[in-house]
Amino acid sequence: MRIRNVYRPKRMVVRTLAMVAALAVSTAAQDTKTPPALQTNTPSPATYDELKQLLKNRYDQKIVLAAVEGLYAGEQRKADFNLGPGANGIYWSHFAANMQVPDRIGSAFLGGKKTSDLSQLDEHTFGDLKRGLNLSPIQRGEPLKVYKFYVYPDYIAFVLSTKGLEHWRDLDYGKASKEVTTSVSGNQVNRTVSVGGFGLVLVFYFNKGVIKDDRDIAGVLKEINKYLLPESEAQALANVGKNIEIEPGMTEEQVTQKLGQPLQSVKFGDQKSLKYKGMTVVLKDGKVVDVKVE
């Protein structure tokens, strides 16, 4: 399926991420297995209310890391300042891997639009990026605050706000949605102009019965972890990554199985360099001959 971006901001913001967080999320995004904390046999909650509470404890008001590239945050609309970052008009819908993507997507957040008219992140994730608002790319490994969190019988919704000040570099003040506050002090009239922050909504859809009837919390978490990973579990993955051993003679396939796909691959003659965060793996004739730590 063709990947397309409908809207592009004027500038891409490049943020410097901590190597630990970036390696952890890179591993999670490229190897969609559940992280170590979830690889045990997680029993299903006894009730739907118990499931909701477990998920709320895990995500609500917590910090999660973006596990993929390609998501965008949008500037909040003036009329919706009091509603927080979820009112910014940037809505993403993700359908579980075993679901068929519908021809039209509609929910409480997204009002019945053709899937073909939406921006596409991957084969199961689509975004409704409204015109007229400032947009800013979310970097993989970037921390996001779960501003609001909802669990419904067929879907789970995250309202996320950005934390990094660098997103303000993507704010075109001329087209920004503004709110003007006027106050009078004696004979002086003061006018304050403010703009909203950046955020996004990400909704995860599941087959009927998975959430409410089956209460398949392990399956739900596995799907969400592909895109959003709790900060604490990213740290756990990083700690696992510290123990990864790259041995002389390994093939490129064996390296990528351990480290995921490289950020950059450079071939020079019979040598090939696989660049990762903080390290470069050098292969000659398809076999590992050196590892350079940066």
Side-chain angles (χ1 to χ4, degrees), residues 8 28 43 81 101 128 163 190 193 208 234 244 251 276:
R8 297 179 184 270
F81 272 12
V101 176
D128 182 19
K163 293 171 60 65
N190 300 311
V193 180
K208 187 175 180 62
I244 291 177
T251 65
Y276 294 90

Side-chain angles (χ1 to χ4, degrees), residues 159-275:
V159 179
L160 303 160
S161 60
T162 60
K163 293 171 60 65
L165 295 178
E166 63 271 23
H167 287 288
W168 292 103
R169 300 172 190 170
D170 287 331
L171 181 68
D172 182 341
Y173 188 78
K175 70 174 184 179
S177 182
K178 307 175 186 70
E179 181 179 55
V180 180
T181 302
T182 303
S183 61
V184 179
S185 177
N187 294 326
Q188 185 174 359
V189 178
N190 300 311
R191 297 177 70 244
T192 302
V193 180
S194 59
V195 295
F198 284 89
L200 64 153
V201 174
L202 179 52
V203 183
F204 292 86
Y205 290 93
F206 296 88
N207 281 317
K208 187 175 180 62
V210 168
I211 298 176
K212 186 173 182 179
D213 299 328
D214 297 339
R215 300 179 297 282
D216 182 12
I217 189 169
V220 168
L221 295 183
K222 182 177 180 180
E223 199 69 35
I224 294 174
N225 282 347
K226 298 175 185 178
Y227 299 87
L228 301 173
L229 194 65
E231 195 172 35
S232 60
E233 291 183 9
Q235 180 64 52
L237 279 175
N239 291 335
V240 171
K242 292 176 183 177
N243 298 322
I244 291 177
E245 294 185 3
I246 303 298
E247 300 176 356
M250 278 186 170
T251 65
E252 180 175 351
E253 183 180 2
Q254 289 172 321
V255 172
T256 56
Q257 284 177 350
K258 287 179 174 288
L259 298 178
Q261 294 300 318
L263 299 175
Q264 185 181 34
S265 176
V266 179
K267 186 172 178 57
F268 180 74
D270 59 355
Q271 289 194 357
K272 188 173 186 179
S273 297
L274 306 179
K275 296 184 178 296

Side-chain angles (χ1 to χ4, degrees), residues 14-19 139 166 277:
V14 179
R15 64 177 296 157
T16 302
L17 301 173
M19 184 176 72
Q139 304 298 323
E166 63 271 23
K277 285 284 185 179

Side-chain angles (χ1 to χ4, degrees), residues 73 98 152:
N98 59 353
Y152 293 99

Side-chain angles (χ1 to χ4, degrees), residues 39-223:
Q39 297 215 350
T40 57
N41 184 20
T42 306
S44 295
T47 66
Y48 175 48
D49 287 339
E50 184 180 335
L51 171 71
K52 290 195 290 185
Q53 189 59 50
L54 288 172
L55 291 172
K56 183 176 181 180
N57 292 343
R58 176 179 172 84
Y59 294 115
D60 197 22
Q61 299 298 309
K62 302 294 175 57
I63 302 297
V64 295
L65 303 187
V68 294
E69 295 281 359
L71 289 172
Y72 286 84
E75 175 214 344
Q76 194 177 334
R77 290 194 302 265
K78 178 182 65 174
D80 299 324
F81 272 12
N82 294 331
L83 299 181
N88 53 56
I90 309 301
Y91 303 113
W92 295 91
S93 296
H94 170 75
F95 297 87
N98 59 353
M99 293 184 69
Q100 181 176 354
V101 176
D103 294 332
R104 183 177 291 270
I105 298 176
S107 71
F109 300 104
L110 200 61
K113 290 192 173 182
K114 290 182 178 179
T115 307
S116 58
D117 291 338
L118 302 179
S119 179
Q120 186 173 351
L121 175 66
D122 55 41
E123 291 186 353
H124 286 262
T125 311
F126 301 83
D128 182 19
L129 311 183
K130 305 271 187 193
R131 294 181 184 274
L133 294 176
N134 288 293
L135 299 175
S136 187
I138 301 294
Q139 304 298 323
R140 186 170 64 193
E142 179 177 341
L144 301 168
K145 174 67 178 293
V146 181
Y147 181 79
K148 291 182 180 180
F149 177 71
Y150 304 95
V151 179
Y152 293 99
D154 296 327
Y155 65 90
I156 294 171
F158 288 80
V159 179
L160 303 160
S161 60
T162 60
K163 293 171 60 65
L165 295 178
E166 63 271 23
H167 287 288
W168 292 103
R169 300 172 190 170
D170 287 331
L171 181 68
D172 182 341
Y173 188 78
K175 70 174 184 179
S177 182
K178 307 175 186 70
E179 181 179 55
V180 180
T181 302
T182 303
S183 61
V184 179
S185 177
N187 294 326
Q188 185 174 359
V189 178
N190 300 311
R191 297 177 70 244
T192 302
V193 180
S194 59
V195 295
F198 284 89
L200 64 153
V201 174
L202 179 52
V203 183
F204 292 86
Y205 290 93
F206 296 88
N207 281 317
K208 187 175 180 62
V210 168
I211 298 176
K212 186 173 182 179
D213 299 328
D214 297 339
R215 300 179 297 282
D216 182 12
I217 189 169
V220 168
L221 295 183
K222 182 177 180 180
E223 199 69 35

Side-chain angles (χ1 to χ4, degrees), residues 10-30:
K10 291 185 177 179
R11 303 184 299 278
M12 291 294 288
V13 177
V14 179
R15 64 177 296 157
T16 302
L17 301 173
M19 184 176 72
V20 167
L23 175 60
V25 175
S26 175
T27 304
Q30 293 156 5

